[in-house]
Amino acid sequence: MIAENIAAIRARMDAAARKAGRDPKEIVLCAATKMNDTARVREAIAAGITCCGENRVQELTAKQALRAYDGASVHFIGHLQTNKVRQVVGRVALIQSVDRPALLAALEKEAAKQAIVQDILLEVNIGAEESKSGYAPEEIDAVAASMGQFPHLRLRGLMAIPPVSEKSGSNCRFFTQIRRIAVDITAKKYHNISMEILSMGMTDDFEDAIACGSTMIRVGTAIFGARDYSK
Ligand SMILES: *Cc1c(COP(=O)(O)O)cnc(C)c1O
């Protein structure tokens, strides 16, 4: 089932990329593995998944102890408390959800302590939703400009979770806005950053995201089925 789902998503990704005149190889499929156990994560990796995203520190740590992600890289994609950075820095390839100045400072401090450089994305609250974290779109430029002050962090792009997509096409304006921010920042050639990763698009809107410049989609439900929140 998981392998079939992944194959179907890849076919849809390829079609969306070609329609937009893009090379399908430019777009990474990151499996949002939250609430799926080690056996299911391994099944996804066996079916070709190269990137897994987790949004809870405790779940990440537990599954890492079980070597659930062997053969794939792991990204952190959830809200990260500053008192938990030690469990994430140096243990994931990319922290996608850097959403506030206090977290940026805590990550720099921990990465310096470990003497490593941690790759990060800035999370943009693109729909200006109260319920979501992330920088406001107009704040991103200043943060990117300041990255020289964080020598143990490397900014590689942006992540966004727009509002729930009501109908096909409804989130395109948000995805396009993220892409514009990235293009503007790239043109400024700030120190210590790149905008190569635009992580946007989930189960309900990944084709629109690909049409509008996404380079990484984060998909859970379409791979694993609906999550069981009753457990
Ligand atoms: C769960 C999750 C996803 C995947 O959502 P689906 O709608 O199930 O594809 C993507 N991004 C983040 C940050 C998530 O927490």
Side-chain angles (χ1 to χ4, degrees), residues 67-88:
R67 309 189 59 139
Y69 311 108
D70 281 9
S73 64
V74 192
H75 295 180
F76 194 77
I77 62 175
H79 185 70
L80 181 54
Q81 291 169 259
T82 50
N83 63 356
K84 292 190 177 160
V85 294
R86 196 169 46 83
Q87 290 157 271
V88 177

Side-chain angles (χ1 to χ4, degrees), residues 68-201:
Y69 311 108
D70 281 9
S73 64
V74 192
H75 295 180
F76 194 77
I77 62 175
H79 185 70
L80 181 54
Q81 291 169 259
T82 50
N83 63 356
K84 292 190 177 160
V85 294
R86 196 169 46 83
Q87 290 157 271
V88 177
V89 170
R91 295 170 134 253
V92 298
L94 181 68
I95 301 172
Q96 295 202 12
S97 42
V98 178
D99 57 3
R100 60 199 193 280
L103 180 58
L104 207 52
L107 292 171
E108 167 62 27
K109 198 173 161 197
E110 178 60 27
K113 201 166 141 194
Q114 294 183 23
I116 62 160
V117 174
Q118 174 69 58
D119 281 355
I120 64 163
L121 305 180
L122 296 177
E123 179 174 349
V124 190
N125 187 356
I126 196 68
E129 294 174 280
E130 288 273 359
S131 61
K132 289 198 179 128
S133 44
Y135 287 95
E138 57 275 15
E139 293 174 318
I140 295 296
D141 186 81
V143 181
S146 75
M147 286 309 294
Q149 299 167 29
F150 301 92
H152 299 89
L153 303 178
R154 187 167 61 146
L155 176 59
R156 309 230 9 230
L158 305 175
M159 187 269 255
I161 313 175
V164 173
S165 182
E166 298 293 340
K167 56 179 196 312
S168 171
S170 60
N171 276 343
C172 284
R173 66 193 174 96
F174 294 120
F175 298 136
T176 299
Q177 200 186 343
I178 292 285
R179 188 160 176 279
R180 290 217 182 97
I181 293 169
V183 168
D184 288 349
I185 288 175
T186 302
K188 292 182 177 164
K189 304 197 186 315
Y190 293 133
H191 182 62
N192 192 30
I193 74 145
S194 80
M195 284 284 137
E196 70 208 275
I197 302 175
L198 299 182
S199 174
M200 49 192 197

Side-chain angles (χ1 to χ4, degrees), residues 8-36:
I9 294 162
R10 295 249 188 238
R12 288 170 59 193
M13 289 172 70
D14 282 14
R18 286 213 187 82
K19 201 171 150 197
R22 302 183 58 197
D23 180 352
K25 289 195 216 69
E26 287 171 19
I27 302 138
V28 174
L29 171 58
C30 188
T33 45
K34 59 167 175 262
M35 301 180 71
N36 284 283

Side-chain angles (χ1 to χ4, degrees), residues 32 34 55 77-78 159 161 201-204 218-222 227:
K34 59 167 175 262
N55 70 335
I77 62 175
M159 187 269 255
I161 313 175
M202 319 201 304
T203 290
D204 286 335
R218 308 174 310 271
V219 178
T221 308
R227 290 177 286 276

Side-chain angles (χ1 to χ4, degrees), residues 28-55:
V28 174
L29 171 58
C30 188
T33 45
K34 59 167 175 262
M35 301 180 71
N36 284 283
D37 63 18
T38 296
R40 292 164 70 78
V41 174
R42 287 198 181 129
E43 203 177 326
I45 294 168
I49 288 294
T50 57
C51 167
C52 297
E54 288 289 351
N55 70 335

